[in-house]
Amino acid sequence: MKVPLIVLALILAVPASAAVYKSVLPDGRVIYSDQPPSENAAPAHLPPIQLIPAAPVPPPPEPAEAQETTRNKAAAYRSIGITSPAHDSTLRDNAGTVVINVALDPPLLVKAGHHIAIYLDGTLIGENSTGTLTLNNVDRGTHTLNASVNSKQGQAMLTSPTVTFHLQRVSSRN
C-alpha cells in the first residue's frame, strides 16, 4: 500500500521540477515546452516568478439574519404619538413655551442606537431618547408637530401622525 503512494507522489512531483525548453522554428516562431522538441532546443533561463499580493478583500455584506434582526427591531415598535400638546389644542403662554411629550410603545431601544426626532413645522428641532422636549419663545400662531423613531444611521423607522396646535401670546398692543 505504501509503495503505490510513493510512486504516485514521485510521478506528480516530476512535472513540478521539469525544465522549460526554448526552440526557434525555421520561420522565426519561438516555442516553449517542457520537453525538447528537437536537438537544437536549449533550456530556457526564466526570471523568477513575480508574486503580486492580492488586493484587500472588502468585508462581507451584513448577514441576512442580522438584517432581519434590524427589521424585527423596527417592527417591534407598534405605535408612536405626540401626547402633549393635544391635537388641535390652543395653548396660552406669553413666553411661547411649549412642552412636547412623545409616547412610544414598546419603549425605545437605546442600546441599539435608536433615538426620537421631533419636528416643528417640518423642521427638526431636537433628538433625544426621552421623548420629552421643551421649546421656548415659539411664535404665536398655528404649528404642526410630528416625531419619528430613527435608527442609529438616522433612518426613520416609524413616524407619528401630525399634531396641530395653536399658540396664543397676549400682546400689550391691541
Side-chain angles (χ1 to χ4, degrees), residues 19-108:
V20 176
Y21 296 94
K22 174 183 176 182
S23 57
V24 180
L25 298 178
D27 62 356
R29 290 185 296 155
V30 178
I31 296 177
Y32 292 92
S33 173
D34 61 346
Q35 297 180 358
S38 64
E39 52 280 338
N40 66 350
H45 300 287
L46 302 176
I49 296 174
Q50 182 180 8
L51 299 176
I52 300 172
V57 178
E62 187 177 332
E65 56 190 39
Q67 291 175 352
E68 187 64 31
T69 302
T70 303
R71 275 190 229 110
N72 287 344
K73 285 180 181 177
Y77 295 114
R78 289 185 288 274
S79 66
I80 183 172
I82 297 174
T83 58
S84 173
H87 180 64
D88 206 26
S89 62
T90 299
L91 306 176
R92 291 173 180 83
D93 191 295
N94 287 339
T97 303
V98 178
V99 178
I100 302 167
N101 289 312
V102 178
L104 182 63
D105 181 38
L108 188 67

Side-chain angles (χ1 to χ4, degrees), residues 154-173:
Q155 297 174 330
M157 296 185 289
L158 184 64
T159 303
S160 73
T162 300
V163 169
T164 302
F165 70 94
H166 314 282
L167 179 64
Q168 293 183 353
R169 294 174 80 170
V170 177
S171 173
S172 60
R173 294 180 264 162

